[in-house]
Amino acid sequence: MMRSLEEAVDSAASISRRGGGGGVGFAAAEGSFAGPAVYGWLFECHGFWHNVLLVASSLAFALYLAAQARKSFSKLSSERSSIMLAYYGCLWLVSLLNLTWCSLQAWECTPGKEVAWNILSLFTTSGMLFLEVSLVAFLLQGNSASGLHALTRTFVVSGLVVGLDLLLKAIYLFAFGIPLFVDDIEKPHKVKWGLWVVHRLVLTAVYGSILFMYHSRWRERLPARPAFYRYIIIMLIMNALALFACGLTGNGAGFGLWLYGATIVCYHAFYLPLLYATFLADFFQEEDLQLENVYYSEMKDAGFFDGDWE
């Protein structure tokens, strides 16, 4: 009896020395699982600052939309603007997709996740391209862009363009096996970077043409708003840099891949806030400006500003 008890104590002590006890051993095993995963997500693949910038910016914008949601829905309900309502809904959907894409950057470098990463990237970039093309289509309609007919025309054109783009990329991904969204300077795919060159060349040409219209006799066809003009300049510079980077990377230049990565980070981090500031911010702030004008008129009628004229 005593011998059995001593053997049990010795066995328990041995287990304690090897694993630190049942609970501690489990914690150690858990740490060995979670530690490398978190470390890999933060520091490997693209690096710490790359991941933090993408996640922080996309999360901040999603939280901003959530904080303004009640006020925005109230404004949309009162105005009954079909264009703004549809665009705001698309912006919410694409923002959530982009936040997911930014949070799962480690998938690009994780074995077995290439297909999932390519599918996620395909739908995220297609959603952002839809917003981009629809805004350009809205711009090109000029001052006549209003009402349900303009919304239908804009979304039909955008859907056709983005659908064709998505189909072409899906063929490259799943029929030809070309990893469009996995970048590797050691194995540059000439066909892949050729596709990206054509993609960026088309976008650069479109934005360049709109910028030319702003300085030509056709400028009356475009909305007379400085925000749209700044938006076109920013997107022209962004796509021109990406076009240059794709050309360099296709020829095996490491700097080209770095520059292309920088343009992708800027696009996913700042494009949606830029689009919101250009297209939707004034619409949602219009009520506040009207309220400020009412307050100013009431104060002026009450004689608050009479001293300023003396």
Side-chain angles (χ1 to χ4, degrees), residues 130-207:
F130 179 83
L131 293 177
E132 194 174 342
V133 173
S134 58
L135 182 54
V136 170
F138 177 83
L139 278 172
L140 293 178
Q141 293 181 62
N143 298 320
S144 62
S146 61
L148 185 60
H149 181 66
L151 172 67
T152 304
R153 186 169 56 240
T154 299
F155 276 25
V156 166
V157 171
S158 305
L160 289 174
V161 172
V162 175
L164 181 62
D165 178 81
L166 189 148
L167 177 63
L168 181 62
K169 290 175 181 175
I171 292 173
Y172 271 73
L173 279 170
F174 304 114
F176 300 144
I178 297 175
L180 291 179
F181 302 102
V182 177
D183 300 328
D184 188 358
I185 191 60
E186 297 179 357
K187 299 177 181 178
H189 291 265
K190 294 285 186 180
V191 178
K192 164 188 169 179
W193 293 108
L195 175 66
W196 286 127
V197 165
V198 173
H199 179 84
R200 295 296 178 176
L201 183 61
V202 171
L203 290 175
T204 304
V206 170
Y207 287 116

Side-chain angles (χ1 to χ4, degrees), residues 205-261:
V206 170
Y207 287 116
S209 300
I210 297 175
L211 185 62
F212 172 76
M213 290 178 65
Y214 266 107
H215 297 280
S216 68
R217 55 180 177 159
W218 296 293
R219 65 181 304 170
E220 289 79 10
R221 292 180 53 85
L222 301 174
R225 293 183 57 192
F228 285 123
Y229 182 75
R230 290 192 295 268
Y231 171 84
I232 294 300
I233 292 178
I234 292 172
M235 295 307 296
L236 175 62
I237 294 173
M238 176 76 69
N239 283 282
L241 285 174
L243 173 62
F244 178 65
C246 290
L248 289 178
T249 308
N251 291 309
F255 172 74
L257 185 61
W258 177 88
L259 181 60
Y260 178 75

Side-chain angles (χ1 to χ4, degrees), residues 19-192:
V24 178
F26 176 76
E30 194 175 46
S32 65
F33 172 76
V38 174
Y39 180 86
W41 178 79
L42 283 176
F43 297 101
E44 293 181 357
C45 197
H46 295 290
F48 176 77
W49 293 113
H50 175 281
N51 297 331
V52 167
L53 177 60
L54 282 174
V55 173
S57 58
S58 58
L59 180 60
F61 183 65
L63 291 176
Y64 174 80
L65 287 180
Q68 299 291 322
R70 184 175 180 180
K71 178 181 174 182
S72 300
F73 282 122
S74 175
K75 176 69 174 177
L76 290 168
S77 304
S78 61
E79 292 291 332
R80 299 183 182 276
S81 172
S82 54
I83 291 179
M84 292 300 180
L85 180 61
Y87 217 80
Y88 183 73
C90 292
L91 180 65
W92 255 111
L93 177 61
V94 175
S95 298
L96 295 177
L97 264 176
N98 188 55
L99 176 60
T100 304
W101 184 89
C102 293
S103 303
L104 298 175
Q105 288 290 296
W107 279 14
E108 184 178 352
C109 308
T110 303
K113 294 288 187 180
E114 293 88 352
V115 175
W117 171 252
N118 280 314
I119 293 175
L120 176 62
S121 300
L122 180 63
F123 282 101
T124 302
T125 55
S126 295
M128 296 182 73
L129 183 63
F130 179 83
L131 293 177
E132 194 174 342
V133 173
S134 58
L135 182 54
V136 170
F138 177 83
L139 278 172
L140 293 178
Q141 293 181 62
N143 298 320
S144 62
S146 61
L148 185 60
H149 181 66
L151 172 67
T152 304
R153 186 169 56 240
T154 299
F155 276 25
V156 166
V157 171
S158 305
L160 289 174
V161 172
V162 175
L164 181 62
D165 178 81
L166 189 148
L167 177 63
L168 181 62
K169 290 175 181 175
I171 292 173
Y172 271 73
L173 279 170
F174 304 114
F176 300 144
I178 297 175
L180 291 179
F181 302 102
V182 177
D183 300 328
D184 188 358
I185 191 60
E186 297 179 357
K187 299 177 181 178
H189 291 265
K190 294 285 186 180
V191 178
K192 164 188 169 179

